[in-house]
Amino acid sequence: MKIKLNKLKEEKQQEKIKAIKEQDRLEPYLLENGNLFRIYIIKQREDHYTCLFSNHHAILDGWSGPLLLNYVHSSYIKLLTKQNIEAAVD
C-alpha cells in the first residue's frame, strides 16, 4: 500500500506512521484467505521513504525473516547501481 505523507510536517508524519503500525497490529491475518503479509510504502519526502513490513509467523520466522530482508536490501542496492538482479531459484 502506498501512503503519501510528504505534505505533512515531520511530527505529524511520525504520528500517522505510529497510527498505521497500531492499526496493522490490530488487523488479524486469516489463514484461509491468504495474504499473510502486508507492505506499506510511506513517502515522507521526495528522497525519503519508510517501508513497513508485517507478516504472519506461518510464512516468516526469526530465521527466514532476515534472509528475505537481506535479499530485498541487496536487490535494492543493485537496482540503485544499475546492476542485474538474478532471481533465486529454490
Side-chain angles (χ1 to χ4, degrees):
M1 174 182 299
K2 290 183 186 178
I3 302 167
K4 293 183 179 181
L5 300 180
N6 55 313
K7 303 229 188 258
L8 301 176
K9 294 187 184 258
E10 187 172 345
E11 184 177 315
K12 285 289 183 190
Q13 289 179 4
Q14 294 307 316
E15 289 173 11
K16 292 275 190 184
I17 291 171
K18 183 178 178 183
I20 292 166
K21 288 178 184 180
E22 290 171 359
Q23 180 183 354
D24 184 75
R25 284 188 195 108
L26 296 174
E27 187 175 337
Y29 288 101
L30 304 174
L31 292 173
E32 61 274 8
N33 292 345
N35 300 326
L36 299 180
F37 68 91
R38 294 185 283 267
I39 300 173
Y40 304 86
I41 304 294
I42 303 168
K43 183 176 183 177
Q44 293 183 260
R45 293 190 315 259
E46 278 305 312
D47 64 344
H48 184 91
Y49 289 77
T50 294
C51 177
L52 301 178
F53 181 89
S54 64
N55 63 276
H56 189 281
H57 65 89
I59 62 167
L60 287 173
D61 59 15
W63 180 82
S64 58
L67 292 176
L68 173 65
L69 294 177
N70 283 335
Y71 178 76
V72 169
H73 183 258
S74 66
S75 296
Y76 175 73
I77 297 300
K78 286 181 180 180
L79 288 171
L80 284 177
T81 59
K82 302 191 184 321
Q83 297 178 39
N84 289 330
I85 299 171
E86 294 183 28
V89 179
D90 188 27

